[in-house]
Coordinates of all heavy atoms in Angstrom, one line a residue:
M1 N 0.8 -1.2 0.0 CA 0.0 0.0 0.0 C 0.9 1.3 0.0 O 1.8 1.4 0.8 CB -0.9 0.0 1.2 CG -1.7 1.3 1.3 SD -2.8 1.4 2.7 CE -4.0 0.3 2.2
L2 N 0.5 2.1 -0.9 CA 1.3 3.4 -1.0 C 0.5 4.4 -0.2 O -0.7 4.6 -0.5 CB 1.4 3.8 -2.4 CG 2.1 5.2 -2.6 CD1 3.5 5.2 -2.1 CD2 2.0 5.6 -4.1
L3 N 1.1 5.1 0.8 CA 0.5 6.2 1.5 C 0.9 7.5 0.9 O 2.1 7.7 0.6 CB 0.8 6.1 3.0 CG 0.5 4.7 3.7 CD1 1.0 4.7 5.1 CD2 -1.0 4.5 3.6
T4 N 0.0 8.4 0.8 CA 0.4 9.7 0.3 C -0.3 10.8 1.2 O -1.4 10.6 1.8 CB -0.1 9.8 -1.1 OG1 -0.3 11.2 -1.5 CG2 -1.4 9.2 -1.4
N5 N 0.3 12.0 1.2 CA -0.2 13.0 2.0 C -1.4 13.7 1.4 O -2.3 14.2 2.1 CB 0.9 14.1 2.3 CG 1.8 13.6 3.4 OD1 1.5 13.0 4.4 ND2 3.1 14.0 3.2
D6 N -1.5 13.7 0.1 CA -2.6 14.4 -0.6 C -3.7 13.4 -1.1 O -3.5 12.2 -1.0 CB -2.0 15.0 -1.9 CG -0.9 16.0 -1.5 OD1 -1.1 16.8 -0.5 OD2 0.2 16.0 -2.1
S7 N -4.8 14.0 -1.3 CA -5.9 13.3 -2.0 C -5.5 12.9 -3.4 O -4.7 13.4 -4.0 CB -7.2 14.1 -2.1 OG -7.5 14.7 -0.9
L8 N -6.2 11.8 -3.9 CA -5.8 11.3 -5.2 C -6.4 12.3 -6.3 O -5.9 12.6 -7.3 CB -6.5 9.9 -5.5 CG -6.0 8.8 -4.5 CD1 -6.5 7.5 -5.0 CD2 -4.6 8.9 -4.2
N9 N -7.7 12.8 -5.9 CA -8.3 13.9 -6.7 C -9.3 14.6 -5.7 O -9.3 14.3 -4.5 CB -8.8 13.5 -8.0 CG -9.9 12.5 -7.8 OD1 -10.8 12.5 -6.9 ND2 -10.0 11.5 -8.7
E10 N -10.2 15.4 -6.2 CA -11.1 16.1 -5.4 C -12.1 15.2 -4.7 O -12.6 15.6 -3.6 CB -12.0 17.1 -6.3 CG -11.0 18.2 -6.8 CD -11.7 19.1 -7.9 OE1 -12.9 18.8 -8.2 OE2 -11.1 20.0 -8.4
K11 N -12.4 14.0 -5.2 CA -13.4 13.2 -4.6 C -12.8 11.9 -4.0 O -13.5 11.2 -3.3 CB -14.4 12.7 -5.7 CG -15.3 13.8 -6.2 CD -16.3 13.2 -7.2 CE -17.0 14.3 -7.9 NZ -17.8 13.7 -9.0
T12 N -11.6 11.5 -4.4 CA -11.1 10.3 -4.1 C -9.9 10.3 -3.1 O -8.9 11.0 -3.4 CB -10.6 9.5 -5.3 OG1 -11.7 9.5 -6.3 CG2 -10.3 8.0 -5.0
L13 N -10.0 9.5 -2.0 CA -8.9 9.5 -1.0 C -8.1 8.2 -1.1 O -7.1 8.1 -0.5 CB -9.5 9.7 0.4 CG -10.2 11.1 0.6 CD1 -10.7 11.1 2.0 CD2 -9.2 12.2 0.4
G14 N -8.6 7.2 -1.8 CA -7.9 5.9 -1.8 C -8.5 5.0 -2.9 O -9.6 5.2 -3.4
A15 N -7.8 4.0 -3.2 CA -8.2 2.9 -4.2 C -7.5 1.7 -4.0 O -6.3 1.7 -3.5 CB -8.0 3.5 -5.6
A16 N -8.1 0.5 -4.2 CA -7.5 -0.8 -4.0 C -7.7 -1.6 -5.3 O -8.9 -1.5 -5.9 CB -7.9 -1.5 -2.8
L17 N -6.8 -2.3 -5.8 CA -7.0 -3.3 -6.9 C -6.9 -4.7 -6.2 O -5.9 -5.0 -5.7 CB -5.9 -3.2 -7.9 CG -6.1 -4.2 -9.1 CD1 -7.4 -4.0 -9.8 CD2 -4.9 -4.1 -10.0
V18 N -8.0 -5.4 -6.2 CA -8.1 -6.6 -5.5 C -8.3 -7.7 -6.6 O -9.3 -7.5 -7.4 CB -9.3 -6.7 -4.4 CG1 -9.3 -8.0 -3.9 CG2 -9.1 -5.6 -3.4
R19 N -7.5 -8.7 -6.7 CA -7.6 -9.6 -7.7 C -8.0 -11.0 -7.1 O -8.0 -11.2 -6.0 CB -6.2 -9.8 -8.5 CG -5.8 -8.5 -9.1 CD -4.5 -8.7 -9.9 NE -3.9 -7.4 -10.2 CZ -3.3 -7.1 -11.3 NH1 -3.3 -8.1 -12.3 NH2 -2.8 -6.0 -11.6
Q20 N -8.3 -11.9 -8.1 CA -8.7 -13.3 -7.6 C -7.4 -13.9 -7.0 O -6.3 -13.6 -7.3 CB -9.1 -14.1 -8.9 CG -10.4 -13.5 -9.5 CD -11.5 -13.5 -8.6 OE1 -11.8 -14.4 -7.9 NE2 -12.2 -12.3 -8.5
P21 N -7.7 -14.9 -6.1 CA -6.5 -15.5 -5.4 C -5.5 -16.1 -6.4 O -4.3 -16.2 -6.1 CB -7.2 -16.7 -4.6 CG -8.6 -16.2 -4.5 CD -8.9 -15.4 -5.6
S22 N -5.9 -16.5 -7.6 CA -4.9 -17.1 -8.6 C -4.1 -16.0 -9.3 O -3.1 -16.4 -9.9 CB -5.7 -17.9 -9.7 OG -6.6 -17.0 -10.3
Q23 N -4.5 -14.8 -9.1 CA -3.7 -13.7 -9.7 C -2.7 -13.1 -8.8 O -2.9 -13.1 -7.6 CB -4.6 -12.7 -10.3 CG -5.6 -13.2 -11.3 CD -6.6 -12.1 -11.8 OE1 -7.3 -11.6 -11.0 NE2 -6.6 -11.8 -13.0
I24 N -1.7 -12.5 -9.3 CA -0.6 -11.9 -8.5 C -0.8 -10.4 -8.6 O -1.2 -9.9 -9.7 CB 0.8 -12.3 -9.0 CG1 0.9 -13.8 -8.8 CG2 1.8 -11.5 -8.2 CD1 2.2 -14.4 -9.5
G25 N -0.6 -9.6 -7.5 CA -0.5 -8.2 -7.6 C -1.7 -7.5 -7.0 O -2.5 -6.9 -7.8
T26 N -1.9 -7.6 -5.8 CA -3.0 -6.8 -5.1 C -2.3 -5.6 -4.5 O -1.3 -5.7 -3.8 CB -3.7 -7.6 -4.0 OG1 -4.3 -8.8 -4.7 CG2 -4.7 -6.9 -3.3
F27 N -2.9 -4.4 -4.7 CA -2.2 -3.2 -4.2 C -3.2 -2.1 -4.0 O -4.4 -2.2 -4.4 CB -1.0 -2.7 -5.1 CG -1.5 -2.5 -6.5 CD1 -1.9 -1.3 -6.8 CD2 -1.3 -3.4 -7.5 CE1 -2.4 -0.9 -8.1 CE2 -1.7 -3.1 -8.8 CZ -2.2 -1.9 -9.1
A28 N -2.9 -1.1 -3.2 CA -3.7 0.0 -2.9 C -2.9 1.3 -2.7 O -1.7 1.3 -2.5 CB -4.5 -0.3 -1.6
I29 N -3.7 2.4 -2.8 CA -3.1 3.7 -2.4 C -4.1 4.3 -1.5 O -5.3 4.2 -1.7 CB -2.9 4.5 -3.7 CG1 -2.2 5.9 -3.4 CG2 -4.1 4.7 -4.5 CD1 -1.7 6.7 -4.6
A30 N -3.6 5.1 -0.5 CA -4.5 5.7 0.5 C -3.8 7.1 0.9 O -2.7 7.1 1.2 CB -4.7 4.8 1.7
S31 N -4.7 8.0 0.9 CA -4.3 9.4 1.4 C -4.3 9.4 3.0 O -5.2 8.9 3.6 CB -5.3 10.4 0.9 OG -5.1 11.6 1.5
L32 N -3.3 10.0 3.5 CA -3.3 10.2 4.9 C -4.1 11.4 5.4 O -4.1 11.7 6.6 CB -1.8 10.4 5.4 CG -1.0 9.2 5.2 CD1 0.5 9.6 5.5 CD2 -1.4 8.1 6.0
S33 N -4.8 12.1 4.5 CA -5.7 13.2 4.9 C -6.9 12.7 5.8 O -7.5 13.4 6.5 CB -6.2 13.9 3.7 OG -7.0 13.0 2.9
S34 N -7.1 11.3 5.7 CA -8.1 10.8 6.6 C -7.6 9.4 7.1 O -7.3 8.6 6.3 CB -9.5 10.6 5.9 OG -10.3 9.7 6.6
Y35 N -7.5 9.2 8.4 CA -7.0 7.9 8.9 C -7.9 6.8 8.5 O -7.5 5.6 8.2 CB -7.0 7.9 10.4 CG -6.0 8.9 11.0 CD1 -6.3 9.7 12.0 CD2 -4.7 8.9 10.5 CE1 -5.4 10.6 12.6 CE2 -3.8 9.8 11.0 CZ -4.1 10.6 12.1 OH -3.2 11.5 12.6
A36 N -9.3 7.0 8.3 CA -10.2 6.0 8.0 C -9.9 5.5 6.6 O -10.2 4.4 6.3 CB -11.6 6.7 8.0
T37 N -9.2 6.3 5.7 CA -9.0 5.8 4.2 C -8.0 4.7 4.4 O -8.1 3.7 3.7 CB -8.5 7.0 3.5 OG1 -9.4 8.0 3.4 CG2 -8.2 6.5 2.0
V38 N -7.0 4.8 5.2 CA -6.0 3.7 5.3 C -6.7 2.4 5.8 O -6.6 1.4 5.3 CB -4.9 4.1 6.3 CG1 -3.9 2.9 6.4 CG2 -4.2 5.3 5.8
G39 N -7.6 2.5 6.8 CA -8.3 1.4 7.3 C -9.2 0.8 6.3 O -9.4 -0.4 6.1
H40 N -9.8 1.7 5.4 CA -10.7 1.2 4.4 C -10.0 0.4 3.3 O -10.4 -0.7 2.9 CB -11.4 2.5 3.7 CG -12.5 2.1 2.7 ND1 -13.8 2.0 3.0 CD2 -12.3 1.9 1.4 CE1 -14.4 1.7 1.8 NE2 -13.6 1.6 0.9
E41 N -8.9 1.0 2.8 CA -8.2 0.3 1.8 C -7.5 -1.0 2.3 O -7.4 -2.0 1.5 CB -7.1 1.3 1.1 CG -7.7 2.6 0.5 CD -8.8 2.3 -0.4 OE1 -8.9 1.2 -1.1 OE2 -9.7 3.3 -0.6
I42 N -6.9 -1.0 3.5 CA -6.4 -2.2 4.0 C -7.5 -3.3 4.1 O -7.3 -4.5 3.8 CB -5.8 -2.0 5.4 CG1 -4.5 -1.3 5.2 CG2 -5.5 -3.3 6.2 CD1 -3.8 -0.8 6.6
G43 N -8.7 -2.8 4.5 CA -9.8 -3.8 4.5 C -10.1 -4.4 3.1 O -10.3 -5.6 3.1
H44 N -10.0 -3.6 2.1 CA -10.2 -4.2 0.7 C -9.1 -5.2 0.5 O -9.4 -6.3 -0.1 CB -10.1 -3.1 -0.3 CG -11.3 -2.4 -0.6 ND1 -12.5 -3.0 -1.0 CD2 -11.7 -1.1 -0.6 CE1 -13.5 -2.2 -1.2 NE2 -13.0 -0.9 -0.9
L45 N -7.9 -5.0 0.9 CA -6.8 -5.9 0.6 C -7.0 -7.2 1.5 O -6.4 -8.3 1.1 CB -5.4 -5.3 1.0 CG -5.1 -4.1 0.2 CD1 -3.6 -3.6 0.6 CD2 -5.1 -4.3 -1.3
L46 N -7.7 -7.2 2.5 CA -7.9 -8.3 3.4 C -9.3 -9.0 3.3 O -9.7 -9.7 4.2 CB -7.6 -7.9 4.9 CG -6.2 -7.4 5.2 CD1 -6.1 -7.0 6.6 CD2 -5.2 -8.5 4.7
G47 N -10.1 -8.6 2.3 CA -11.3 -9.3 2.1 C -12.6 -8.6 2.7 O -13.7 -9.2 2.6
A48 N -12.5 -7.5 3.3 CA -13.6 -6.8 3.9 C -14.5 -6.2 2.7 O -13.9 -5.9 1.6 CB -13.2 -5.7 4.8
K49 N -15.7 -6.0 2.9 CA -16.6 -5.6 1.9 C -17.4 -4.3 2.3 O -17.8 -4.2 3.5 CB -17.6 -6.7 1.6 CG -17.0 -8.0 1.1 CD -18.0 -9.1 1.0 CE -17.3 -10.4 0.6 NZ -18.1 -11.5 0.9
H50 N -17.7 -3.5 1.3 CA -18.6 -2.4 1.6 C -19.9 -2.8 2.2 O -20.4 -2.2 3.1 CB -18.9 -1.6 0.3 CG -17.8 -0.9 -0.3 ND1 -17.8 -0.4 -1.6 CD2 -16.5 -0.5 0.2 CE1 -16.6 0.2 -1.9 NE2 -15.9 0.2 -0.8
E51 N -20.6 -3.8 1.6 CA -21.9 -4.2 2.0 C -22.0 -4.7 3.4 O -23.0 -4.8 4.0 CB -22.5 -5.2 1.0 CG -21.8 -6.5 0.7 CD -20.8 -6.4 -0.5 OE1 -20.3 -5.2 -0.8 OE2 -20.7 -7.4 -1.1
D52 N -20.8 -5.0 4.0 CA -20.8 -5.5 5.4 C -20.4 -4.4 6.3 O -20.2 -4.6 7.5 CB -19.9 -6.7 5.6 CG -20.5 -8.0 4.9 OD1 -21.7 -8.1 4.9 OD2 -19.7 -8.8 4.5
S53 N -20.3 -3.1 5.9 CA -20.1 -2.0 6.7 C -21.3 -1.7 7.5 O -22.4 -2.2 7.1 CB -19.6 -0.8 6.0 OG -20.7 -0.3 5.1
E54 N -21.2 -0.9 8.5 CA -22.4 -0.7 9.3 C -22.3 0.7 10.1 O -21.2 1.2 10.2 CB -22.8 -1.8 10.3 CG -21.8 -2.0 11.3 CD -22.2 -3.2 12.2 OE1 -22.8 -4.2 11.7 OE2 -21.9 -3.2 13.5
V55 N -23.4 1.2 10.5 CA -23.4 2.4 11.3 C -23.6 1.9 12.8 O -24.4 1.0 13.1 CB -24.6 3.3 11.0 CG1 -24.8 4.5 12.0 CG2 -24.4 3.9 9.6
Q56 N -22.7 2.4 13.7 CA -22.8 2.0 15.1 C -23.0 3.2 15.9 O -23.0 4.4 15.4 CB -21.5 1.3 15.5 CG -21.2 0.0 14.7 CD -19.8 -0.6 15.1 OE1 -19.0 0.0 15.8 NE2 -19.7 -1.8 14.7
Y57 N -23.3 3.0 17.1 CA -23.5 4.2 18.1 C -22.5 4.1 19.3 O -22.5 3.0 20.0 CB -24.9 4.2 18.6 CG -25.3 5.4 19.3 CD1 -25.7 6.5 18.7 CD2 -25.3 5.4 20.7 CE1 -26.0 7.7 19.4 CE2 -25.6 6.6 21.4 CZ -26.0 7.7 20.7 OH -26.2 8.8 21.4
N58 N -21.7 5.0 19.4 CA -20.8 5.0 20.6 C -20.8 6.4 21.3 O -19.8 7.0 21.6 CB -19.3 4.8 20.1 CG -18.8 5.8 19.1 OD1 -19.4 6.8 18.8 ND2 -17.6 5.5 18.6
G59 N -22.0 6.8 21.5 CA -22.2 8.2 22.0 C -22.7 9.2 20.9 O -23.3 10.2 21.2
W60 N -22.4 8.8 19.7 CA -22.8 9.4 18.5 C -22.8 8.4 17.4 O -22.1 7.4 17.5 CB -21.9 10.7 18.1 CG -22.5 11.5 16.9 CD1 -22.0 11.5 15.7 CD2 -23.6 12.4 17.0 NE1 -22.7 12.3 14.9 CE2 -23.7 12.9 15.8 CE3 -24.5 12.7 18.1 CZ2 -24.7 13.8 15.4 CZ3 -25.5 13.6 17.7 CH2 -25.6 14.2 16.4
W61 N -23.5 8.6 16.3 CA -23.5 7.7 15.2 C -22.2 7.7 14.5 O -21.6 8.7 14.3 CB -24.6 8.0 14.2 CG -26.0 8.0 14.8 CD1 -26.7 9.0 15.2 CD2 -26.7 6.8 15.3 NE1 -27.9 8.6 15.9 CE2 -27.9 7.3 15.9 CE3 -26.4 5.5 15.3 CZ2 -28.8 6.4 16.5 CZ3 -27.3 4.6 15.8 CH2 -28.5 5.1 16.4
C62 N -21.6 6.5 14.3 CA -20.4 6.5 13.5 C -20.4 5.4 12.5 O -21.2 4.4 12.6 CB -19.2 6.1 14.5 SG -19.3 4.5 15.3
E63 N -19.6 5.5 11.5 CA -19.4 4.5 10.4 C -18.2 3.6 10.5 O -17.2 4.2 10.9 CB -19.4 5.2 9.1 CG -20.7 6.1 8.8 CD -20.4 7.1 7.7 OE1 -19.4 7.7 7.6 OE2 -21.4 7.3 7.0
T64 N -18.3 2.3 10.3 CA -17.2 1.5 10.3 C -16.2 1.7 9.1 O -16.8 2.3 8.1 CB -17.6 0.0 10.4 OG1 -18.5 -0.3 9.3 CG2 -18.4 -0.3 11.8
Y65 N -15.1 1.2 9.1 CA -14.1 1.4 8.1 C -14.6 1.2 6.6 O -14.2 1.9 5.7 CB -12.9 0.6 8.3 CG -11.9 1.1 9.3 CD1 -11.4 0.2 10.2 CD2 -11.5 2.4 9.3 CE1 -10.5 0.8 11.2 CE2 -10.6 2.9 10.3 CZ -10.1 2.1 11.2 OH -9.2 2.4 12.1
M66 N -15.4 0.2 6.4 CA -15.7 -0.1 5.0 C -16.9 0.6 4.4 O -17.3 0.3 3.3 CB -15.9 -1.7 4.9 CG -14.7 -2.5 5.1 SD -13.1 -1.8 4.3 CE -13.5 -2.2 2.6
T67 N -17.4 1.6 5.1 CA -18.5 2.5 4.5 C -17.9 3.2 3.3 O -16.9 3.8 3.4 CB -18.9 3.6 5.5 OG1 -19.3 2.9 6.8 CG2 -20.0 4.5 5.0
P68 N -18.6 3.0 2.1 CA -17.9 3.5 0.9 C -17.9 5.0 0.9 O -17.0 5.6 0.4 CB -18.9 2.9 -0.2 CG -20.1 2.3 0.5 CD -19.7 2.2 2.0
Q69 N -19.0 5.7 1.2 CA -19.1 7.1 1.1 C -19.4 7.7 2.5 O -20.5 7.4 3.0 CB -20.2 7.6 0.1 CG -20.0 7.2 -1.3 CD -18.9 7.9 -2.0 OE1 -18.6 9.1 -1.6 NE2 -18.3 7.4 -3.0
G70 N -18.5 8.4 3.1 CA -18.7 8.9 4.5 C -19.7 9.9 4.5 O -19.9 10.8 3.6
D71 N -20.6 9.9 5.6 CA -21.6 10.9 5.9 C -21.0 11.9 6.8 O -20.6 11.5 7.9 CB -22.8 10.3 6.4 CG -23.9 11.2 6.8 OD1 -23.7 12.5 6.9 OD2 -25.0 10.7 7.1
S72 N -20.9 13.1 6.5 CA -20.2 14.2 7.4 C -20.9 14.4 8.7 O -20.3 14.8 9.6 CB -20.0 15.5 6.6 OG -21.3 16.0 6.3
M73 N -22.1 13.9 8.8 CA -22.9 13.9 10.1 C -22.5 12.9 11.1 O -22.9 13.0 12.2 CB -24.4 14.0 9.8 CG -24.9 15.3 9.1 SD -24.5 16.7 10.0 CE -25.7 16.6 11.4
K74 N -21.8 11.9 10.5 CA -21.4 10.8 11.4 C -19.9 10.8 11.6 O -19.2 11.2 10.8 CB -21.9 9.4 10.7 CG -23.4 9.3 10.5 CD -23.7 7.9 10.0 CE -25.2 7.8 9.7 NZ -25.5 8.2 8.3
S75 N -19.6 10.3 12.8 CA -18.1 10.2 13.1 C -17.6 8.8 12.5 O -18.4 8.1 11.9 CB -17.9 10.2 14.5 OG -18.5 9.2 15.2
N76 N -16.3 8.6 12.7 CA -15.7 7.3 12.3 C -15.6 6.4 13.5 O -15.2 6.8 14.6 CB -14.4 7.6 11.7 CG -13.9 6.4 10.9 OD1 -13.8 5.3 11.5 ND2 -13.6 6.6 9.6
C77 N -16.0 5.2 13.4 CA -15.9 4.2 14.5 C -14.5 3.8 14.8 O -14.1 3.3 15.8 CB -16.7 3.0 14.3 SG -18.4 3.3 13.9
Y78 N -13.6 3.9 13.7 CA -12.2 3.4 13.7 C -12.2 2.0 14.0 O -11.4 1.5 14.9 CB -11.4 4.2 14.6 CG -11.2 5.6 14.2 CD1 -11.8 6.7 14.8 CD2 -10.4 5.9 13.0 CE1 -11.6 8.0 14.3 CE2 -10.3 7.2 12.5 CZ -10.8 8.3 13.1 OH -10.7 9.5 12.7
T79 N -13.1 1.2 13.5 CA -13.2 -0.2 13.7 C -13.9 -0.9 12.5 O -14.5 -0.1 11.6 CB -13.9 -0.6 14.9 OG1 -13.7 -2.0 15.2 CG2 -15.5 -0.3 14.9
Y80 N -13.7 -2.2 12.3 CA -14.5 -2.9 11.3 C -15.7 -3.4 11.9 O -15.8 -3.8 13.2 CB -13.6 -4.0 10.7 CG -12.4 -3.6 10.0 CD1 -11.1 -3.5 10.5 CD2 -12.5 -3.2 8.7 CE1 -10.1 -3.0 9.8 CE2 -11.4 -2.7 7.9 CZ -10.2 -2.7 8.5 OH -9.1 -2.2 7.8
S81 N -16.8 -3.6 11.1 CA -18.0 -4.2 11.7 C -17.7 -5.8 12.0 O -16.7 -6.2 11.5 CB -19.1 -4.2 10.6 OG -18.7 -5.0 9.4
P82 N -18.5 -6.3 12.8 CA -18.3 -7.7 13.2 C -18.3 -8.6 11.8 O -17.5 -9.5 11.7 CB -19.5 -8.0 14.0 CG -19.9 -6.8 14.7 CD -19.6 -5.8 13.6
A83 N -19.2 -8.3 10.9 CA -19.2 -9.1 9.6 C -17.9 -8.9 8.9 O -17.3 -9.9 8.3 CB -20.4 -8.6 8.8
N84 N -17.3 -7.7 8.9 CA -16.0 -7.5 8.2 C -14.9 -8.1 9.0 O -13.9 -8.6 8.3 CB -15.8 -6.1 7.8 CG -16.4 -5.8 6.4 OD1 -16.3 -6.6 5.6 ND2 -16.9 -4.6 6.2
R85 N -15.0 -8.2 10.3 CA -13.9 -8.8 11.1 C -13.9 -10.3 10.6 O -12.9 -11.0 10.6 CB -14.2 -8.7 12.5 CG -13.9 -7.3 13.1 CD -14.2 -7.3 14.5 NE -14.2 -5.9 15.0 CZ -13.8 -5.5 16.2 NH1 -13.4 -6.5 17.1 NH2 -13.8 -4.3 16.6
E86 N -15.1 -10.9 10.5 CA -15.2 -12.3 10.0 C -14.7 -12.4 8.7 O -14.0 -13.4 8.4 CB -16.7 -12.7 10.2 CG -16.9 -14.2 10.1 CD -16.4 -14.9 11.4 OE1 -16.2 -14.3 12.4 OE2 -16.1 -16.2 11.2
N87 N -15.0 -11.5 7.7 CA -14.5 -11.6 6.4 C -12.9 -11.6 6.4 O -12.3 -12.4 5.6 CB -15.0 -10.4 5.5 CG -16.4 -10.4 5.2 OD1 -17.0 -11.6 5.2 ND2 -17.0 -9.4 4.9
I88 N -12.3 -10.7 7.2 CA -10.9 -10.6 7.3 C -10.3 -11.9 7.9 O -9.4 -12.4 7.4 CB -10.5 -9.3 8.1 CG1 -10.8 -8.1 7.4 CG2 -9.0 -9.4 8.4 CD1 -10.7 -6.8 8.1
K89 N -11.0 -12.4 8.9 CA -10.5 -13.7 9.6 C -10.5 -14.8 8.5 O -9.5 -15.5 8.4 CB -11.4 -14.0 10.7 CG -10.9 -15.1 11.6 CD -11.7 -15.2 12.9 CE -12.7 -16.2 12.8 NZ -13.6 -16.4 13.9
N90 N -11.6 -14.9 7.8 CA -11.7 -16.0 6.8 C -10.7 -15.8 5.7 O -10.1 -16.8 5.2 CB -13.1 -15.9 6.1 CG -14.2 -16.4 7.1 OD1 -13.9 -17.1 8.1 ND2 -15.4 -16.0 6.8
F91 N -10.4 -14.5 5.3 CA -9.4 -14.3 4.2 C -8.1 -14.8 4.7 O -7.3 -15.4 4.0 CB -9.4 -12.8 3.9 CG -8.3 -12.4 2.9 CD1 -8.5 -12.5 1.5 CD2 -7.0 -11.9 3.4 CE1 -7.5 -12.2 0.7 CE2 -6.1 -11.6 2.4 CZ -6.3 -11.8 1.1
L92 N -7.7 -14.3 6.0 CA -6.4 -14.7 6.5 C -6.3 -16.3 6.7 O -5.2 -16.8 6.4 CB -6.1 -13.9 7.8 CG -6.0 -12.4 7.7 CD1 -5.9 -11.8 9.0 CD2 -4.8 -12.1 6.7
N93 N -7.3 -16.8 7.1 CA -7.3 -18.3 7.3 C -7.1 -19.0 5.9 O -6.5 -20.0 5.9 CB -8.7 -18.8 8.0 CG -8.6 -18.6 9.4 OD1 -7.6 -18.4 10.1 ND2 -9.8 -18.6 10.0
S94 N -7.6 -18.4 4.9 CA -7.5 -19.0 3.6 C -6.0 -18.9 3.1 O -5.7 -19.6 2.2 CB -8.4 -18.4 2.5 OG -7.9 -17.1 2.2
K95 N -5.3 -18.0 3.7 CA -3.9 -18.0 3.2 C -2.9 -18.8 4.1 O -1.8 -18.9 3.8 CB -3.4 -16.4 3.5 CG -4.3 -15.5 2.7 CD -4.1 -15.7 1.2 CE -4.9 -14.7 0.4 NZ -5.0 -15.1 -1.1
A96 N -3.5 -19.4 5.2 CA -2.6 -20.2 6.1 C -2.3 -21.5 5.5 O -3.0 -22.0 4.7 CB -3.4 -20.4 7.4
Ligands
LIG101 ZN1 -14.1 0.8 -1.0

C-alpha cells in the first residue's frame, strides 16, 4: 500500500485493486488526509466488503471502516463491523 499526504483527486482518497486468489498483484493507495482511508483500503486488501459496513453508536452515530461514502454528520468508529472482522478472519485463514 502506498500512503500519500494528498488526496488522489477532489473526490477520491484511496483505491485498491483486488484480484482473484490465482492472480498476482494486489495493491492499494491511500491518502493520509483521513485515517479512515487507510483502514478502508487495508480492509479491501484483506477481504472486507462495503456491503458489510455498518453504522454503530458510541455516544454518536459512527461508520465502520468499509463504509464507501462517508456521511459528514457521522463520526468514524475506527473499527471494522463484526461481519467484516469475520471476512478478514476468513481471508487470513484461507492464506494459512
Ligand atoms: Zn471501498
Side-chain angles (χ1 to χ4, degrees):
M1 174 180 289
L2 176 64
L3 300 176
T4 158
N5 283 323
D6 298 317
S7 308
L8 305 189
N9 61 36
E10 293 169 1
K11 295 181 186 173
T12 308
L13 296 178
L17 177 65
V18 179
R19 300 183 194 223
Q20 298 301 313
S22 60
Q23 298 175 301
I24 297 172
T26 298
F27 55 87
I29 183 170
S31 169
L32 293 172
S33 62
S34 165
Y35 296 132
T37 304
V38 178
H40 185 95
E41 302 307 335
I42 286 176
H44 276 304
L45 298 182
L46 297 178
K49 299 171 185 163
H50 289 166
E51 56 266 35
D52 288 330
S53 67
E54 62 183 35
V55 173
Q56 298 178 347
Y57 188 82
N58 62 4
W60 188 253
W61 301 106
C62 66
E63 297 164 326
T64 57
Y65 279 132
M66 295 313 292
T67 302
Q69 298 284 336
D71 177 347
S72 62
M73 292 298 290
K74 298 185 183 89
S75 65
N76 195 303
C77 305
Y78 294 109
T79 189
Y80 294 98
S81 66
N84 270 326
R85 287 178 190 216
E86 196 65 24
N87 290 337
I88 292 169
K89 192 170 99 182
N90 291 339
F91 176 85
L92 293 175
N93 281 338
S94 76
K95 301 296 179 193

